[in-house]
Amino acid sequence: MNDTQLSSPGATAAPLEDRRVLLGVCGGIAAYKSAELTRALVREGARVQVVMTEAATRLVQPLTFEVLSTRPVACDMWQTAPGTRIQHTDHGRQSDLIIIAPATANTIGRIAGGLADNLLTSLVMASRTPVLLAPAMNVEMWSNPLVQENLARLTNLARYHVVPPESGELACGVDGAGRLAPIDQIMDDARRLLSPQDLAGRFVLVTAGPTYEPFDPVRFVGNHSTGLMGYALAAAAQLRGARVVLISGPTALNPPRGVEVVSVTTAIEMRAEVMTRLAEADMLAMVAAVSDYRPTARATAKIHKTSGDKEIRLALNPDILAEVGSLETRPLTLGFAAETEDVVAAAHRKRAAKNVDFLFGNLVGGGRGGFACRKNSGVLVDRSGTQESFPLVDKAELAHALLDRLAPRLATRTPEEVT
Ligand code: CTP
Protein backbone atom coordinates (compact mmCIF):
# COMPACT_ATOMS: atom_id res chain seq x y z
CA MET A 1 0.00 0.00 0.00
CA ASN A 2 1.18 3.53 -0.59
CA ASP A 3 -0.09 7.10 -0.37
CA THR A 4 -1.69 7.00 -3.83
CA GLN A 5 -4.10 4.24 -2.74
CA LEU A 6 -5.73 6.32 -0.04
CA SER A 7 -9.44 7.02 -0.03
CA SER A 8 -10.65 10.56 -0.69
CA PRO A 9 -9.30 13.28 1.62
CA GLY A 10 -11.09 13.35 4.95
CA ALA A 11 -13.51 16.12 5.70
CA THR A 12 -12.21 18.35 8.45
CA ALA A 13 -14.27 20.38 10.85
CA ALA A 14 -12.99 23.10 13.15
CA PRO A 15 -15.87 24.46 15.22
CA LEU A 16 -15.78 27.97 13.74
CA GLU A 17 -14.75 27.11 10.19
CA ASP A 18 -17.29 28.55 7.76
CA ARG A 19 -19.80 29.17 10.57
CA ARG A 20 -21.91 32.32 10.55
CA VAL A 21 -21.35 34.36 13.67
CA LEU A 22 -23.32 37.47 14.38
CA LEU A 23 -21.27 39.73 16.66
CA GLY A 24 -23.35 42.31 18.50
CA VAL A 25 -21.30 45.23 19.85
CA CYS A 26 -22.91 47.44 22.49
CA GLY A 27 -21.89 50.84 23.81
CA GLY A 28 -19.42 49.94 26.54
CA ILE A 29 -15.82 51.11 26.61
CA ALA A 30 -14.79 47.47 26.05
CA ALA A 31 -16.20 47.84 22.51
CA TYR A 32 -12.63 48.36 21.30
CA LYS A 33 -11.79 44.82 22.44
CA SER A 34 -14.46 43.46 20.10
CA ALA A 35 -12.20 44.41 17.22
CA GLU A 36 -9.72 41.82 18.52
CA LEU A 37 -12.57 39.33 18.91
CA THR A 38 -13.62 39.93 15.30
CA ARG A 39 -10.09 39.18 14.16
CA ALA A 40 -9.91 36.01 16.25
CA LEU A 41 -13.23 34.77 14.84
CA VAL A 42 -12.21 35.53 11.25
CA ARG A 43 -8.83 33.86 11.80
CA GLU A 44 -10.63 30.61 12.66
CA GLY A 45 -12.70 30.75 9.51
CA ALA A 46 -15.96 32.25 10.86
CA ARG A 47 -18.09 34.47 8.64
CA VAL A 48 -18.65 37.40 10.94
CA GLN A 49 -21.52 39.86 10.61
CA VAL A 50 -21.09 42.76 13.02
CA VAL A 51 -24.14 44.58 14.35
CA MET A 52 -23.49 47.71 16.42
CA THR A 53 -25.83 49.63 18.66
CA GLU A 54 -25.96 53.38 18.18
CA ALA A 55 -24.03 53.85 21.45
CA ALA A 56 -21.27 51.50 20.26
CA THR A 57 -20.74 53.58 17.11
CA ARG A 58 -19.92 56.55 19.34
CA LEU A 59 -17.01 54.62 20.84
CA VAL A 60 -15.63 52.74 17.81
CA GLN A 61 -16.05 53.54 14.12
CA PRO A 62 -18.04 50.89 12.21
CA LEU A 63 -15.27 51.07 9.60
CA THR A 64 -12.92 49.27 12.02
CA PHE A 65 -15.25 46.26 12.11
CA GLU A 66 -16.03 46.52 8.43
CA VAL A 67 -12.35 46.14 7.57
CA LEU A 68 -11.76 43.32 10.06
CA SER A 69 -14.89 41.34 9.14
CA THR A 70 -14.76 42.28 5.42
CA ARG A 71 -18.51 42.88 5.58
CA PRO A 72 -20.64 46.00 5.94
CA VAL A 73 -21.59 46.61 9.56
CA ALA A 74 -25.30 46.74 10.31
CA CYS A 75 -26.39 49.49 12.69
CA ASP A 76 -29.75 50.82 11.60
CA MET A 77 -32.96 48.82 11.78
CA TRP A 78 -34.58 51.04 9.17
CA GLN A 79 -31.91 50.71 6.52
CA THR A 80 -31.86 47.80 4.09
CA ALA A 81 -29.28 47.26 1.39
CA PRO A 82 -30.75 47.16 -2.14
CA GLY A 83 -32.09 43.69 -2.94
CA THR A 84 -32.03 42.46 0.67
CA ARG A 85 -34.94 41.69 2.92
CA ILE A 86 -35.58 42.98 6.41
CA GLN A 87 -32.30 42.98 8.36
CA HIS A 88 -33.69 42.17 11.78
CA THR A 89 -35.09 38.85 10.67
CA ASP A 90 -32.41 37.84 8.13
CA HIS A 91 -29.23 38.39 10.16
CA GLY A 92 -30.46 36.53 13.21
CA ARG A 93 -31.98 33.55 11.42
CA GLN A 94 -28.98 33.11 9.14
CA SER A 95 -26.48 32.89 12.01
CA ASP A 96 -25.16 29.80 13.76
CA LEU A 97 -24.24 31.79 16.86
CA ILE A 98 -24.88 35.27 18.20
CA ILE A 99 -22.15 36.73 20.41
CA ILE A 100 -22.86 39.99 22.22
CA ALA A 101 -19.57 41.49 23.40
CA PRO A 102 -19.54 43.73 25.24
CA ALA A 103 -23.06 43.12 26.50
CA THR A 104 -24.07 46.20 28.47
CA ALA A 105 -26.51 46.32 31.39
CA ASN A 106 -28.87 48.16 29.06
CA THR A 107 -28.89 45.54 26.28
CA ILE A 108 -29.07 42.64 28.76
CA GLY A 109 -32.07 44.35 30.38
CA ARG A 110 -33.77 44.97 27.06
CA ILE A 111 -33.39 41.39 25.88
CA ALA A 112 -34.51 40.02 29.27
CA GLY A 113 -37.49 42.36 29.18
CA GLY A 114 -38.52 41.13 25.75
CA LEU A 115 -37.83 44.47 24.07
CA ALA A 116 -36.90 44.74 20.42
CA ASP A 117 -36.26 48.43 20.00
CA ASN A 118 -33.03 48.45 17.99
CA LEU A 119 -31.47 46.24 15.34
CA LEU A 120 -29.51 44.05 17.78
CA THR A 121 -32.35 43.37 20.23
CA SER A 122 -34.75 42.82 17.30
CA LEU A 123 -32.62 40.21 15.63
CA VAL A 124 -32.12 38.40 18.94
CA MET A 125 -35.88 38.38 19.37
CA ALA A 126 -36.54 37.28 15.80
CA SER A 127 -34.34 34.16 15.83
CA ARG A 128 -33.72 30.96 17.83
CA THR A 129 -29.94 31.06 17.42
CA PRO A 130 -27.89 30.43 20.61
CA VAL A 131 -26.68 33.65 22.21
CA LEU A 132 -23.37 34.08 24.06
CA LEU A 133 -23.38 37.17 26.25
CA ALA A 134 -20.05 38.65 27.36
CA PRO A 135 -21.04 41.37 29.83
CA ALA A 136 -18.72 44.29 30.55
CA MET A 137 -19.68 47.23 32.73
CA ASN A 138 -18.90 49.25 35.82
CA VAL A 139 -18.61 47.20 39.04
CA GLU A 140 -21.69 48.81 40.62
CA MET A 141 -23.74 48.06 37.52
CA TRP A 142 -22.48 44.47 37.47
CA SER A 143 -23.40 43.89 41.11
CA ASN A 144 -26.78 45.59 40.72
CA PRO A 145 -29.46 42.99 41.59
CA LEU A 146 -31.51 44.03 38.57
CA VAL A 147 -28.66 43.20 36.19
CA GLN A 148 -28.12 39.86 37.94
CA GLU A 149 -31.84 39.11 37.84
CA ASN A 150 -31.99 39.94 34.14
CA LEU A 151 -29.04 37.64 33.44
CA ALA A 152 -30.54 34.83 35.53
CA ARG A 153 -33.77 35.23 33.60
CA LEU A 154 -31.89 34.76 30.35
CA THR A 155 -29.68 31.86 31.47
CA ASN A 156 -32.76 30.01 32.71
CA LEU A 157 -33.58 29.68 29.03
CA ALA A 158 -31.40 27.10 27.26
CA ARG A 159 -30.63 29.52 24.46
CA TYR A 160 -28.60 32.05 26.46
CA HIS A 161 -25.06 31.54 27.76
CA VAL A 162 -22.87 33.92 29.72
CA VAL A 163 -19.11 34.29 29.78
CA PRO A 164 -18.76 36.27 33.01
CA PRO A 165 -16.63 39.38 33.29
CA GLU A 166 -13.35 39.20 35.18
CA SER A 167 -12.11 41.30 38.04
CA GLY A 168 -9.46 43.94 37.64
CA GLU A 169 -8.96 47.60 36.99
CA LEU A 170 -12.00 49.06 35.24
CA ALA A 171 -12.11 52.00 32.82
CA CYS A 172 -13.84 54.07 35.52
CA GLY A 173 -10.69 53.79 37.65
CA VAL A 174 -11.95 51.39 40.33
CA ASP A 175 -10.99 47.76 40.87
CA GLY A 176 -13.68 45.12 40.73
CA ALA A 177 -15.67 42.70 38.59
CA GLY A 178 -16.86 44.05 35.25
CA ARG A 179 -13.99 43.73 32.79
CA LEU A 180 -14.84 41.95 29.56
CA ALA A 181 -13.75 38.29 29.78
CA PRO A 182 -10.47 37.56 27.98
CA ILE A 183 -10.91 37.10 24.21
CA ASP A 184 -9.48 33.54 24.55
CA GLN A 185 -12.25 32.65 26.93
CA ILE A 186 -14.99 34.11 24.71
CA MET A 187 -13.49 32.21 21.77
CA ASP A 188 -13.42 28.99 23.77
CA ASP A 189 -17.09 29.33 24.71
CA ALA A 190 -17.95 30.12 21.09
CA ARG A 191 -16.08 27.00 19.94
CA ARG A 192 -17.89 24.89 22.55
CA LEU A 193 -21.32 26.22 21.53
CA LEU A 194 -20.55 25.39 17.90
CA SER A 195 -19.10 21.94 18.62
CA PRO A 196 -21.20 18.79 18.50
CA GLN A 197 -21.72 17.49 22.04
CA ASP A 198 -21.08 13.92 20.91
CA LEU A 199 -18.71 13.20 23.82
CA ALA A 200 -21.04 14.47 26.54
CA GLY A 201 -20.89 12.15 29.55
CA ARG A 202 -17.74 10.42 28.25
CA PHE A 203 -14.34 10.24 29.93
CA VAL A 204 -11.45 10.68 27.53
CA LEU A 205 -7.85 10.00 28.45
CA VAL A 206 -5.18 11.65 26.30
CA THR A 207 -1.40 11.42 26.51
CA ALA A 208 0.83 14.05 24.94
CA GLY A 209 4.37 15.30 24.57
CA PRO A 210 7.65 13.45 24.86
CA THR A 211 8.94 11.43 27.76
CA TYR A 212 12.34 12.28 29.22
CA GLU A 213 14.46 9.39 30.42
CA PRO A 214 17.19 10.74 32.67
CA PHE A 215 20.63 9.19 33.07
CA ASP A 216 21.94 11.77 35.53
CA PRO A 217 20.35 14.77 37.32
CA VAL A 218 20.90 17.12 34.33
CA ARG A 219 20.63 14.97 31.19
CA PHE A 220 18.06 12.75 29.59
CA VAL A 221 17.20 10.73 26.48
CA GLY A 222 14.14 12.32 24.80
CA ASN A 223 12.64 13.46 21.50
CA HIS A 224 11.40 16.61 19.70
CA SER A 225 7.67 16.23 20.42
CA THR A 226 6.11 19.54 21.54
CA GLY A 227 2.78 18.05 22.66
CA LEU A 228 0.73 20.26 20.32
CA MET A 229 -1.27 17.42 18.72
CA GLY A 230 -2.17 15.80 22.06
CA TYR A 231 -3.12 19.13 23.61
CA ALA A 232 -5.28 19.92 20.57
CA LEU A 233 -7.03 16.56 20.85
CA ALA A 234 -7.64 17.03 24.59
CA ALA A 235 -9.05 20.53 23.98
CA ALA A 236 -11.30 19.30 21.17
CA ALA A 237 -12.67 16.41 23.28
CA GLN A 238 -13.41 18.84 26.10
CA LEU A 239 -15.23 21.21 23.73
CA ARG A 240 -17.33 18.25 22.60
CA GLY A 241 -18.53 17.65 26.15
CA ALA A 242 -16.08 15.03 27.48
CA ARG A 243 -14.38 15.02 30.85
CA VAL A 244 -10.74 14.94 29.81
CA VAL A 245 -7.57 14.01 31.66
CA LEU A 246 -4.40 14.87 29.76
CA ILE A 247 -1.32 12.95 30.90
CA SER A 248 1.49 15.11 29.63
CA GLY A 249 5.20 14.67 29.31
CA PRO A 250 7.35 17.83 29.61
CA THR A 251 6.03 20.58 27.28
CA ALA A 252 5.96 24.38 27.20
CA LEU A 253 2.19 24.47 26.53
CA ASN A 254 -0.58 25.99 28.64
CA PRO A 255 -3.17 23.48 29.89
CA PRO A 256 -6.29 23.54 27.69
CA ARG A 257 -9.23 25.19 29.45
CA GLY A 258 -11.37 22.72 31.39
CA VAL A 259 -8.89 19.85 31.03
CA GLU A 260 -7.21 18.19 34.02
CA VAL A 261 -3.49 17.92 33.31
CA VAL A 262 -1.33 15.30 35.02
CA SER A 263 2.37 16.01 34.49
CA VAL A 264 4.80 13.14 34.11
CA THR A 265 8.41 12.87 32.99
CA THR A 266 9.21 9.25 32.14
CA ALA A 267 7.46 6.46 30.25
CA ILE A 268 7.14 4.45 33.45
CA GLU A 269 5.36 7.36 35.16
CA MET A 270 3.11 7.82 32.12
CA ARG A 271 2.20 4.15 32.12
CA ALA A 272 1.26 4.28 35.83
CA GLU A 273 -0.99 7.34 35.34
CA VAL A 274 -2.71 5.78 32.30
CA MET A 275 -3.32 2.44 34.03
CA THR A 276 -4.76 4.09 37.15
CA ARG A 277 -7.51 5.73 35.10
CA LEU A 278 -8.04 3.18 32.33
CA ALA A 279 -10.99 1.30 33.82
CA GLU A 280 -13.10 4.48 33.89
CA ALA A 281 -12.09 5.71 30.43
CA ASP A 282 -14.34 5.53 27.35
CA MET A 283 -11.51 6.53 25.02
CA LEU A 284 -7.72 6.52 25.19
CA ALA A 285 -5.76 8.63 22.70
CA MET A 286 -2.04 7.82 23.00
CA VAL A 287 -0.61 10.84 21.24
CA ALA A 288 2.56 10.94 23.36
CA ALA A 289 5.89 10.21 21.73
CA VAL A 290 6.84 7.71 24.39
CA SER A 291 10.53 6.96 24.55
CA ASP A 292 11.04 3.31 23.64
CA TYR A 293 14.14 3.04 25.82
CA ARG A 294 15.45 4.39 29.10
CA PRO A 295 19.00 4.39 30.43
CA THR A 296 19.57 1.33 32.57
CA ALA A 297 21.31 3.39 35.22
CA ARG A 298 20.57 6.84 36.62
CA ALA A 299 23.56 8.47 38.31
CA THR A 300 22.74 10.44 41.43
CA ALA A 301 25.41 13.07 40.62
CA LYS A 302 26.25 14.72 37.29
CA ILE A 303 28.42 12.52 35.07
CA HIS A 304 31.61 14.43 34.27
CA LYS A 305 33.59 14.40 31.07
CA THR A 306 36.47 11.95 30.82
CA SER A 307 38.74 11.31 27.89
CA GLY A 308 37.42 8.88 25.29
CA ASP A 309 33.90 7.85 24.28
CA LYS A 310 31.12 6.99 26.69
CA GLU A 311 28.30 4.50 26.30
CA ILE A 312 24.81 4.71 27.71
CA ARG A 313 23.14 1.33 28.06
CA LEU A 314 19.40 1.42 27.35
CA ALA A 315 16.61 -0.79 28.66
CA LEU A 316 13.31 -1.30 26.84
CA ASN A 317 10.42 0.78 28.22
CA PRO A 318 6.93 -0.67 28.62
CA ASP A 319 4.79 -0.23 25.49
CA ILE A 320 1.73 1.40 27.06
CA LEU A 321 -0.53 1.15 24.01
CA ALA A 322 0.35 -2.50 23.33
CA GLU A 323 -0.33 -3.30 26.98
CA VAL A 324 -3.78 -1.63 26.79
CA GLY A 325 -4.45 -3.54 23.54
CA SER A 326 -3.73 -6.83 25.30
CA LEU A 327 -6.20 -6.19 28.15
CA GLU A 328 -9.45 -8.10 28.35
CA THR A 329 -11.59 -4.98 28.35
CA ARG A 330 -10.35 -1.67 27.14
CA PRO A 331 -11.61 1.73 26.02
CA LEU A 332 -11.76 2.79 22.39
CA THR A 333 -8.11 3.31 21.51
CA LEU A 334 -6.35 5.69 19.13
CA GLY A 335 -2.61 5.47 18.56
CA PHE A 336 -0.32 7.80 16.68
CA ALA A 337 2.81 7.04 14.69
CA ALA A 338 5.24 9.62 13.35
CA GLU A 339 7.14 8.09 10.47
CA THR A 340 9.80 9.23 8.05
CA GLU A 341 8.79 6.76 5.29
CA ASP A 342 6.09 4.20 4.31
CA VAL A 343 3.55 5.78 6.61
CA VAL A 344 0.51 3.82 5.39
CA ALA A 345 2.15 0.43 5.78
CA ALA A 346 3.51 1.40 9.18
CA ALA A 347 0.09 2.62 10.33
CA HIS A 348 -1.57 -0.71 9.41
CA ARG A 349 1.27 -2.74 10.89
CA LYS A 350 1.35 -0.84 14.20
CA ARG A 351 -2.45 -0.81 14.55
CA ALA A 352 -2.58 -4.57 14.21
CA ALA A 353 0.51 -5.26 16.32
CA LYS A 354 -0.80 -3.19 19.24
CA ASN A 355 -4.46 -4.23 18.78
CA VAL A 356 -5.64 -0.62 18.58
CA ASP A 357 -9.00 0.50 17.17
CA PHE A 358 -7.56 3.44 15.21
CA LEU A 359 -4.06 4.51 14.35
CA PHE A 360 -3.13 7.84 12.82
CA GLY A 361 0.14 7.77 10.91
CA ASN A 362 1.88 10.92 9.79
CA LEU A 363 5.06 11.69 7.95
CA VAL A 364 7.41 14.02 9.74
CA GLY A 365 9.81 16.45 8.12
CA GLY A 366 9.87 17.77 4.55
CA GLY A 367 7.18 20.42 5.13
CA ARG A 368 4.53 17.78 5.87
CA GLY A 369 3.78 18.96 9.40
CA GLY A 370 4.06 16.74 12.45
CA PHE A 371 6.73 17.43 15.06
CA ALA A 372 7.10 20.97 16.38
CA CYS A 373 4.69 22.69 13.99
CA ARG A 374 1.07 23.82 14.14
CA LYS A 375 -0.10 21.68 11.23
CA ASN A 376 -0.35 17.99 10.57
CA SER A 377 -1.54 15.59 7.88
CA GLY A 378 -1.63 11.83 7.64
CA VAL A 379 -3.67 8.68 7.34
CA LEU A 380 -6.15 7.13 9.77
CA VAL A 381 -6.49 3.34 9.66
CA ASP A 382 -8.97 1.21 11.58
CA ARG A 383 -9.70 -2.43 12.42
CA SER A 384 -11.63 -3.06 9.22
CA GLY A 385 -8.60 -2.06 7.15
CA THR A 386 -10.20 1.21 6.06
CA GLN A 387 -7.79 4.04 5.55
CA GLU A 388 -8.55 7.69 5.15
CA SER A 389 -6.12 10.47 4.35
CA PHE A 390 -6.25 13.87 6.01
CA PRO A 391 -4.82 16.94 4.30
CA LEU A 392 -2.36 19.33 5.99
CA VAL A 393 -4.45 21.39 8.39
CA ASP A 394 -4.11 23.09 11.74
CA LYS A 395 -3.80 20.52 14.54
CA ALA A 396 -6.97 21.84 16.24
CA GLU A 397 -8.87 21.21 13.02
CA LEU A 398 -7.35 17.77 12.62
CA ALA A 399 -8.25 16.91 16.23
CA HIS A 400 -11.93 17.63 15.51
CA ALA A 401 -11.81 15.69 12.25
CA LEU A 402 -10.39 12.65 14.09
CA LEU A 403 -13.03 12.92 16.81
CA ASP A 404 -15.69 13.13 14.08
CA ARG A 405 -14.57 9.60 13.12
CA LEU A 406 -14.10 8.22 16.64
CA ALA A 407 -17.08 9.60 18.57
CA PRO A 408 -19.75 7.64 16.64
CA ARG A 409 -17.77 4.42 17.25
CA LEU A 410 -18.17 4.76 21.02
CA ALA A 411 -21.84 3.96 20.71
CA THR A 412 -21.47 1.14 18.20
CA ARG A 413 -18.51 -0.87 19.55
CA THR A 414 -18.89 -4.57 19.00
CA PRO A 415 -18.00 -7.06 21.81
CA GLU A 416 -14.83 -8.03 19.89
CA GLU A 417 -13.70 -4.42 19.90
CA VAL A 418 -14.32 -4.02 23.62
CA THR A 419 -12.48 -7.23 24.53
N1 CTP B 1 3.65 3.90 22.44
C1 CTP B 1 3.44 3.51 23.74
N2 CTP B 1 4.48 3.08 24.49
C2 CTP B 1 5.74 3.03 23.98
C3 CTP B 1 5.95 3.43 22.65
C4 CTP B 1 4.88 3.87 21.91
O1 CTP B 1 2.31 3.55 24.20
N3 CTP B 1 6.72 2.62 24.73
C5 CTP B 1 2.49 4.37 21.64
C6 CTP B 1 2.61 5.80 21.17
O2 CTP B 1 2.03 6.69 22.10
C7 CTP B 1 1.86 5.78 19.86
C8 CTP B 1 2.04 4.36 19.34
O3 CTP B 1 2.45 3.58 20.47
O4 CTP B 1 0.48 5.97 20.04
C9 CTP B 1 3.07 4.21 18.25
O5 CTP B 1 4.29 4.76 18.69
P1 CTP B 1 5.63 4.54 17.87
O6 CTP B 1 6.78 5.11 18.64
O7 CTP B 1 5.41 4.99 16.48
O8 CTP B 1 5.68 2.97 17.85
P2 CTP B 1 6.78 1.97 18.25
O9 CTP B 1 6.06 0.70 18.53
O10 CTP B 1 7.63 2.52 19.34
O11 CTP B 1 7.59 1.80 16.90
P3 CTP B 1 8.98 2.43 16.39
O12 CTP B 1 9.86 1.26 16.23
O13 CTP B 1 8.64 3.06 15.09
O14 CTP B 1 9.46 3.39 17.43
Side-chain angles (χ1 to χ4, degrees):
M1 259 170 288
N2 59 41
D3 284 16
T4 55
Q5 292 173 289
L6 300 175
S7 61
S8 60
T12 55
L16 286 157
E17 181 70 39
D18 220 24
R19 305 304 288 276
R20 291 159 306 180
V21 176
L22 193 147
L23 175 59
V25 183
C26 305
I29 195 65
Y32 77 94
K33 296 184 183 172
S34 303
E36 194 55 49
L37 179 59
T38 308
R39 259 187 85 74
L41 290 164
V42 169
R43 211 180 290 130
E44 288 199 21
R47 288 188 270 155
V48 183
Q49 171 64 59
V50 177
V51 175
M52 298 177 80
T53 64
E54 199 271 330
T57 63
R58 290 175 182 252
L59 293 159
V60 184
Q61 282 288 317
L63 184 61
T64 304
F65 291 103
E66 230 155 82
V67 171
L68 295 173
S69 67
T70 68
R71 279 186 178 75
V73 169
C75 303
D76 187 350
M77 185 147 72
W78 308 110
Q79 219 169 38
T80 49
T84 60
R85 292 185 306 187
I86 307 165
Q87 296 205 46
H88 68 268
T89 53
D90 278 4
H91 285 322
R93 272 190 299 111
Q94 289 167 358
S95 304
D96 298 303
L97 177 66
I98 297 174
I99 303 176
I100 305 185
T104 53
N106 184 32
T107 294
I108 292 167
R110 281 165 193 269
I111 297 172
L115 298 183
D117 57 350
N118 64 19
L119 181 58
L120 181 58
T121 50
S122 302
L123 62 86
V124 169
M125 185 75 98
S127 78
R128 294 178 184 196
T129 310
V131 179
L132 177 61
L133 296 158
M137 61 195 74
N138 156 281
V139 63
E140 298 301 339
M141 278 183 163
W142 175 244
S143 55
N144 188 304
L146 289 174
V147 171
Q148 293 303 322
E149 262 174 43
N150 286 336
L151 268 178
R153 190 160 185 205
L154 291 175
T155 51
N156 276 339
L157 305 170
R159 185 185 168 200
Y160 295 92
H161 309 266
V162 174
V163 47
E166 56 172 13
S167 290
E169 194 192 341
L170 302 175
C172 54
V174 292
D175 255 26
R179 262 159 60 133
L180 186 74
I183 302 300
D184 278 359
Q185 201 170 328
I186 301 173
M187 287 293 291
D188 231 41
D189 282 13
R191 291 184 196 111
R192 184 173 47 77
L193 288 170
L194 289 172
S195 296
Q197 294 302 293
D198 50 4
L199 293 177
R202 300 290 191 178
F203 174 36
V204 174
L205 208 50
V206 182
T207 67
T211 63
Y212 287 176
E213 313 293 334
F215 54 88
D216 78 5
V218 293
R219 302 185 188 89
F220 57 83
V221 174
N223 59 66
H224 292 303
S225 169
T226 55
L228 276 170
M229 189 66 233
Y231 276 58
L233 202 81
Q238 196 274 339
L239 289 174
R240 296 166 86 119
R243 174 166 81 87
V244 182
V245 171
L246 172 61
I247 300 168
S248 174
T251 75
L253 303 175
N254 291 324
R257 205 180 300 277
V259 168
E260 183 191 338
V261 178
V262 177
S263 298
V264 296
T265 304
T266 65
I268 287 179
E269 288 167 13
M270 185 172 276
R271 179 198 167 277
E273 297 295 349
V274 169
M275 294 305 169
T276 308
R277 294 168 178 80
L278 201 66
E280 292 172 73
D282 295 293
M283 186 192 293
L284 167 69
M286 279 294 304
V287 197
V290 186
S291 181
D292 287 330
Y293 297 95
R294 67 180 182 281
T296 47
R298 187 169 172 175
T300 50
K302 184 181 173 190
I303 299 171
H304 288 289
K305 185 169 67 183
T306 50
S307 60
D309 296 342
K310 251 195 186 16
E311 281 187 1
I312 303 169
R313 208 178 147 70
L314 299 173
L316 193 61
N317 263 333
D319 189 319
I320 306 168
L321 195 53
E323 190 176 336
V324 173
S326 71
L327 294 175
E328 259 187 30
T329 53
R330 55 187 175 272
L332 188 77
T333 46
L334 166 67
F336 274 71
E339 304 292 334
T340 52
E341 56 194 355
D342 296 336
V343 63
V344 179
H348 282 289
R349 179 171 43 79
K350 287 184 180 179
R351 194 216 59 73
K354 301 192 188 211
N355 193 26
V356 199
D357 298 303
F358 290 90
L359 197 127
F360 185 80
N362 64 293
L363 285 169
V364 287
R368 290 168 296 214
F371 268 177
C373 84
R374 301 209 73 83
K375 292 191 172 192
N376 206 357
S377 62
V379 55
L380 182 71
V381 302
D382 70 7
R383 278 186 190 281
S384 69
T386 304
Q387 57 193 45
E388 185 181 1
S389 71
F390 289 72
L392 189 65
V393 289
D394 199 88
K395 285 178 176 173
E397 198 171 327
L398 177 61
H400 278 284
L402 292 175
L403 291 176
D404 284 347
R405 309 300 185 274
L406 267 71
R409 291 285 185 98
L410 280 172
T412 59
R413 293 180 78 204
T414 61
E416 301 82 69
E417 287 173 326
V418 178
T419 55

